[in-house]
Amino acid sequence: MTAENLSSVAGAMAEKTRARMLVALMDGRAWTARELARHACVAASTASEHLHRLVDSGLVIEHRQGRHRYIRIAGTRVAAALESVAALGNQPDTPVRSLRESTIKSQLGRARTCYDHLAGALGIAITEALVQQRILVDESLELTSDGMAWFSETLQSPFLPGRRPATRACLDWTERRLHLAGAAGAHILTVFNERQWVRPKRSSRALIVTPAGSRTLKRLLQIEFASG
């Protein structure tokens, strides 16, 4: 680590418009430059300047397809760093000015994506249940001897971590507690999406737990988590 590297990355994240773009991109999707400009409430030309800074800092990557310019977070390490930095902040909550803002805030706190894994109250509940069932080791969230089999057999979907860490502890910025990330966290979110146990809220990182998802949480993990 050098002071110059730290200063460059911190400066890229610190400006509020760029911060809004990074938060939006934490849903794991590729956004167009136009979509990010609209989300950040800035002109397309202004958004382009900010995106150049984010690309140059290594926080995001871009891909051009035809006339469109697609932007995404530059991998799991960047996503983990952004979530950790957000959780370290101790700024008071921004005052809620409308019913819509209040609803979005509540939904994000309840269940959301954290790049490629589950976060919020749902992510914490699943992590704690896996610890209680001795699938994960407390604190470190490493897999126990029975953990690998649980992810493949109980979820009925082959679990192949590949080169990335099988598990990683991610500090949740709303709950201020650790939730499961890494290949195992991504595997759970993939399965939940494929089986339609959760579904995304439009234009938000928030997730809705379906009735089937609520029943599954109770059956597999003894978690009482209402649908909706």
Side-chain angles (χ1 to χ4, degrees), residues 52 59 66 77 83 89 101 134 216:
H52 279 306
L59 292 171
R77 289 198 306 169
E83 186 77 5
E101 287 185 5
R134 298 183 180 178
T216 298

Side-chain angles (χ1 to χ4, degrees), residues 75-169:
T76 56
R77 289 198 306 169
V78 173
L82 293 174
E83 186 77 5
S84 296
V85 169
L88 290 173
N90 59 1
Q91 294 296 315
D93 289 342
T94 302
V96 174
R97 296 184 174 85
S98 68
L99 177 60
R100 180 175 180 276
E101 287 185 5
S102 176
T103 300
I104 292 174
K105 182 178 180 181
S106 175
Q107 290 171 340
L108 288 172
R110 188 170 190 267
R112 68 180 185 279
T113 55
C114 176
Y115 188 60
D116 65 352
H117 56 273
L118 291 166
L122 177 60
I124 295 297
I126 290 175
T127 301
E128 291 182 345
L130 290 173
V131 170
Q132 290 174 1
Q133 294 193 16
R134 298 183 180 178
I135 307 303
L136 300 175
V137 178
D138 196 9
E139 298 299 331
S140 69
L141 301 188
E142 294 177 353
L143 288 173
T144 64
S145 57
D146 297 328
M148 186 71 74
W150 186 92
F151 277 90
S152 292
E153 297 171 7
T154 304
L155 292 181
Q156 298 181 339
S157 178
F159 177 49
L160 304 171
R163 293 184 177 181
R164 69 183 295 190
T167 65
R168 184 176 60 78

Side-chain angles (χ1 to χ4, degrees), residues 16-43:
K16 189 166 289 187
T17 295
R18 293 194 289 272
R20 290 193 183 103
M21 292 177 172
L22 290 170
V23 168
L25 290 168
M26 281 293 286
D27 68 358
R29 296 185 300 118
W31 289 53
T32 66
R34 186 182 298 274
E35 288 171 335
L36 287 172
R38 189 162 50 244
H39 178 82
C41 301
V42 295

Side-chain angles (χ1 to χ4, degrees), residues 3 20 46 60 123 132 158 176 186 188:
R20 290 193 183 103
T46 302
V60 304
Q132 290 174 1
R176 302 299 175 100
I188 290 175

